[in-house]
Amino acid sequence: MAWSLRTLPTLSEDQFSQWGKLLEERTGIQLVFQQKAWLESQMSSRMRELGFEDYDHYYLYVTHGLEGKLEWTRLIDRIAVKETSFFRHRDSIEYVRQYLQNKINNQTLHNSFDVWSLGCATGEEPYSLAMVINDCFELAMLDPYYGITAMDISSSALAAGRKARYSKRRIEQIKPEEIKRYMHQCADGSFEVVGKLRDRVCFTQANIIHARQLPHVKVDVIFCQNLLVYFRRWLRRDVLNALIDRLKPGGLLVVGLGETVDWEHPLMQRTTDDQVQAYIRAEQE
């Protein structure tokens, strides 16, 4: 008990720089010095659990050997940004609905409708996408033929997404009619995403900074919001350039509004809707 209450020393500037460099190399997340206290709090709680008294010894532990690799996975679960909510930016989600609806109306949806949700955290984003996509298929009286691959670096966040249970507070951004169709209230008061949506979402661990190593498949939509903002400008461009190779001709890329302001690519055309930041891939190269 005495050890758990012991106060650890603060990170020195050199230590903060060392840990920040490691975090950026492995996750792409760039920290500023104002986040030092936050980083201390995240690491110190884990260090207390393991009995480490200083950051240097803990650094050596997480950067060496198999045990270090396992410990890094546990640490990144605490450090990786997991802030999210259902329909966090509804305009962007609704743009995906509009995009799919146009395909159905124009009879250009010939194969399955495949979506990537990058930096999916605890699942609210991919399930929000599943709601509007399922709406489109049901409105058109078509058998649902879609899949969403939800990716994140945090294994604990992915586990929460697979569980698909959320508190009443977490579903406040969902409209009542959407809750009625797509959520089931459990005995403990939590809400569970209905099975027909859960079956459409596959959660998988991936590190977006290695975007060029992602599966070489072609998808209709890549949804990548509130993620690039943590990266340096050059890394944002590198990630986006890799992602367009995974889009079908005419595919849609959605990023956070203002997350990248100077990115251009000859195969991508930004849409005219000022409420979202979305790009359409050329039908022909």
Side-chain angles (χ1 to χ4, degrees):
M1 181 66 69
W3 166 248
S4 65
L5 297 176
R6 186 179 302 176
T7 301
L8 292 175
T10 60
L11 276 168
S12 68
E13 290 190 21
D14 287 343
Q15 287 172 328
F16 176 75
S17 177
Q18 182 184 47
W19 278 99
K21 182 179 179 181
L22 181 67
L23 184 64
E24 185 172 358
E25 286 176 350
R26 294 188 175 185
T27 69
I29 297 173
Q30 181 186 8
L31 296 182
V32 296
F33 191 72
Q34 289 78 1
Q35 294 173 290
K36 186 167 79 74
W38 169 82
L39 182 62
E40 284 178 6
S41 67
Q42 299 301 310
M43 291 199 302
S44 61
S45 62
R46 179 58 183 163
M47 288 167 62
R48 288 190 184 95
E49 293 174 7
L50 297 176
F52 282 95
E53 299 187 31
D54 67 78
Y55 299 103
D56 290 337
H57 287 160
Y58 185 52
Y59 182 89
L60 290 174
Y61 180 63
V62 300
T63 55
H64 290 84
L66 179 59
E67 288 188 4
K69 291 181 180 179
L70 294 173
E71 176 56 25
W72 174 258
T73 301
R74 299 185 186 99
L75 179 63
I76 206 62
D77 280 346
R78 302 190 181 203
I79 294 178
V81 178
K82 305 187 188 72
E83 180 184 352
T84 187
S85 63
F86 284 95
F87 295 93
R88 184 176 180 185
H89 188 246
R90 184 172 277 271
D91 286 342
S92 294
I93 301 286
E94 292 295 337
Y95 198 87
V96 175
R97 183 203 299 272
Q98 177 185 325
Y99 174 78
L100 173 56
Q101 193 63 58
N102 287 338
K103 278 186 167 292
I104 292 174
N105 294 344
N106 297 328
Q107 297 184 336
T108 57
L109 186 66
H110 304 303
N111 300 307
S112 64
F113 190 71
D114 301 300
V115 179
W116 280 2
S117 170
L118 304 181
C120 67
T122 46
E124 287 90 331
E125 178 180 282
Y127 289 130
S128 298
L129 289 165
M131 290 179 195
V132 300
I133 292 170
N134 197 78
D135 280 351
C136 290
F137 279 101
E138 291 190 352
L139 181 65
M141 292 184 290
L142 297 172
D143 288 335
Y145 194 36
Y146 70 92
I148 300 173
T149 301
M151 306 181 198
D152 199 272
I153 196 173
S154 169
S155 56
S156 63
L158 292 168
R162 294 185 188 101
K163 188 176 181 181
R165 282 199 180 191
Y166 304 92
S167 67
K168 185 176 182 180
R169 180 185 61 81
R170 299 278 291 277
I171 67 168
E172 290 177 349
Q173 299 300 316
I174 309 179
K175 294 178 180 179
E177 60 269 25
E178 292 166 336
I179 294 176
K180 184 177 181 180
R181 289 199 303 273
Y182 296 125
M183 306 296 290
H184 167 73
Q185 188 165 16
C186 304
D188 62 0
S190 65
F191 288 80
E192 184 178 58
V193 179
V194 296
K196 66 180 179 180
L197 294 193
R198 295 201 312 272
D199 291 344
R200 298 288 174 176
V201 181
C202 175
F203 290 90
T204 185
Q205 192 168 28
N207 190 340
I208 190 60
I209 69 170
H210 303 309
R212 298 188 185 281
Q213 299 176 18
L214 294 176
H216 282 273
V217 296
K218 298 290 186 180
V219 299
D220 295 275
V221 177
I222 296 179
F223 204 90
C224 181
Q225 282 205 317
N226 308 307
L227 180 61
L228 298 175
V229 67
Y230 300 105
F231 300 163
R232 293 186 187 273
R233 183 177 298 178
W234 69 266
L235 182 55
R236 297 178 200 178
R237 292 196 298 266
D238 191 58
V239 168
L240 290 171
N241 289 340
L243 292 179
I244 65 169
D245 292 334
R246 275 73 176 173
L247 278 174
K248 298 177 184 178
L252 175 68
L253 169 67
V254 183
V255 300
L257 195 61
E259 279 191 283
T260 178
V261 296
D262 59 352
W263 176 72
E264 294 181 352
H265 193 282
L267 292 179
M268 303 299 290
Q269 177 66 46
R270 182 164 178 179
T271 63
T272 57
D273 191 332
D274 292 336
Q275 301 304 309
V276 302
Q277 189 163 346
Y279 302 82
I280 300 291
R281 194 182 195 279
E283 292 285 353
Q284 296 181 344
E285 298 187 13

